[in-house]
Amino acid sequence: KTHSYKLYKMSVERSFIAVKPDGVAKGLIGEILKRYEQKGFRVVALKQLVPTKELAEKHYEEHKERPFFGELVSFITSGPVVAFVLEGKGVVAAARLMIGVTNPLLSNPGTIRGDYAIEVSKNIIHGSDSVASAEREIALWFKTEELLQ
Ligand code: UDP
């Protein structure tokens, strides 16, 4: 089948993941890292930081005209975030499947948002939505020397 053939051919990628302040406050750093590690993805960079307003605005710049932008930026800068980079075959799409959809109430049980969140504005985790977004976000959050080769 065409679909599964494409999955076999999928190449090694990197994705940018961030456990948002609500996920850190709920004690989910370990649980989230465990899921990705046990799946088989490699953590090639990892740090905890309180993002600056400038970093948050750049990260979410595609949403700057949306009504929720101000609240989104103030939420993501409200406390520590655990930012990391995963590497592996097809990791961009696979990490998003493991996250669920934007609305936690519509996310399947077994996904991170499906298991641990209710509110769209407090949905625990960010994951890059494409290889191009991942490249942009990794460059924004990490210096080259912070990434394993
Ligand atoms: N968001 C929100 N209200 C909305 C839509 C999105 O607060 O109506 C937040 C939500 O936390 C989401 C983030 O903005 O994770 C970025 O939105 P996006 O559509 O990129 O969702 P994601 O890729 O994170 O699922």
Side-chain angles (χ1 to χ4, degrees), residues 20 60 62-63 66 68 72 96 101-102 113 120-123 125-127:
K20 298 180 185 180
Y60 281 125
E62 69 169 317
H63 296 306
R66 309 278 289 276
F68 58 86
L72 180 58
R96 297 267 297 185
V101 297
T102 305
R113 288 172 177 165
V120 173
S121 59
K122 292 197 175 120
N123 61 7
I125 184 167
H126 166 83

Side-chain angles (χ1 to χ4, degrees), residues 91-105:
V91 69
V92 172
R96 297 267 297 185
L97 280 176
M98 291 169 70
I99 286 170
V101 297
T102 305
N103 185 342
L105 290 178

Side-chain angles (χ1 to χ4, degrees), residues 12 14 26 42 49 63 86-87 95 114 126 128 135:
V12 174
R14 286 180 169 189
K26 277 185 159 174
R42 187 164 82 115
L49 70 161
H63 296 306
L86 294 177
E87 183 182 87
H126 166 83
S128 305
E135 284 171 4

